[in-house]
Amino acid sequence: MTLDDKHAAVAAAVEARLGERAQRLENTAGELGYAIAPGDLLDCCRILRDTEGLQFEMLMDLCGVDYLSYGRAEWDTASATTTGFSRGVLGRGDALAETDYQPPSRFAVVYHLLSISNNARLRLKVACEDDGRPMVDSVTGIWASADWFEREAFDLFGILFVAHPDLRRILTDYGFIGHPFRKDFPLIGKAEVRYDPKKGRVVYEPVSIEPRTLVPKAIRDDNRYRPDLSKD
């Protein structure tokens, strides 16, 4: 999809200043985005914030991405959706979905920038080099709003942000183990938490529910669906 005139001008300015350090991301929604190497992140962010004509003064959002089993689906067609009855009932195993994008690493951090001066938006993506210990530099010194966003990505994905002033969990409990947005984290969790009135405190216990496939609760199986009644 082509960019509108405003974002096409922004793209030209970004590429003129950042050069080969900014690799244009595939555009599927009329949006502008670039992949940046971890070592270039801070310098590129300062340029994007301070350069006349760019002036991305605001970090609107920051999020983690886990590409574990990216591109793998339970069907072998590019036209099917990733939700619905067929996914739960007619699972296709590990068929590969058709995609040209191959993530360079398991984890990445995505930055959503806004230029108030120019009314323009920009997305940056930085791949974490170490899958076992994902880590990127903190941008809190460039955009103060990154503080809680980076803590959230650390809490949910386990991504570490170097030089963050107070990197600790923000959504899960202090004693929580693991990172719930990682795709290898069990949907039912690893422990249950409840308040015990006898002990007068919160206690952790093994999970009491059984893992299950999320399928529609009402699956009809009556005479209307008998194979021998189907028409050729």
Side-chain angles (χ1 to χ4, degrees):
M1 183 178 294
T2 59
L3 298 171
D4 58 30
D5 293 341
K6 177 176 65 179
H7 283 87
V10 172
V14 169
E15 291 164 15
R17 290 304 309 267
L18 300 185
E20 296 182 354
R21 293 185 293 177
Q23 300 298 317
R24 182 90 69 93
L25 296 174
E26 181 181 358
N27 173 20
T28 58
E31 298 175 343
L32 180 61
Y34 292 92
I36 303 291
D40 295 328
L41 174 64
L42 296 183
D43 188 37
C44 289
C45 286
R46 291 190 184 96
I47 292 173
L48 293 172
R49 183 194 63 182
D50 299 336
T51 300
E52 184 70 24
L54 296 176
Q55 297 164 284
F56 287 95
E57 309 101 332
M58 182 176 292
L59 174 70
M60 297 293 295
D61 191 20
L62 178 156
C63 59
V65 182
D66 182 0
Y67 286 108
L68 182 67
S69 63
Y70 175 83
R72 307 192 74 86
E74 296 176 354
W75 45 79
D76 50 11
T77 172
S79 61
T81 63
T82 57
T83 59
F85 178 86
S86 60
R87 180 179 184 185
V89 179
L90 305 175
R92 305 287 185 180
D94 290 328
L96 282 173
E98 295 182 8
T99 176
D100 295 329
Y101 179 69
Q102 297 298 325
S105 61
R106 174 178 172 179
F107 295 100
V109 181
V110 180
Y111 305 80
H112 301 269
L113 309 182
L114 172 66
S115 172
I116 301 174
S117 302
N118 302 308
N119 190 27
R121 295 178 183 269
L122 178 68
R123 179 183 295 115
L124 299 180
K125 180 184 292 186
V126 177
C128 302
E129 296 178 328
D130 187 347
D131 291 349
R133 189 176 173 82
M135 185 181 305
V136 296
D137 289 321
S138 172
V139 296
T140 52
I142 301 173
W143 297 291
S145 59
D147 190 345
W148 281 25
F149 293 144
E150 290 181 350
R151 285 180 59 187
E152 181 182 47
F154 161 70
D155 192 357
L156 301 180
F157 290 93
I159 298 173
L160 301 171
F161 293 88
V162 180
H164 188 284
D166 186 22
L167 193 62
R168 55 192 171 95
R169 293 187 182 273
I170 192 172
L171 295 176
T172 59
D173 190 36
Y174 297 111
F176 192 88
I177 298 175
H179 304 283
F181 275 17
R182 289 192 175 190
K183 292 185 177 179
D184 52 3
F185 192 89
L187 291 177
I188 61 172
K190 297 182 178 180
E192 288 184 354
V193 181
R194 67 176 179 85
Y195 178 77
D196 189 324
K198 294 182 178 179
K199 296 182 179 180
R201 61 179 176 83
V202 171
V203 296
Y204 289 79
E205 297 175 337
V207 178
S208 60
I209 62 177
E210 295 292 332
R212 62 185 177 89
T213 302
L214 300 179
V215 297
K217 294 182 178 180
I219 300 178
R220 296 179 178 86
D221 186 15
D222 54 37
N223 290 337
R224 293 174 295 172
Y225 303 95
R226 285 171 49 187
D228 57 314
L229 296 179
S230 61
K231 295 181 180 180
D232 296 333

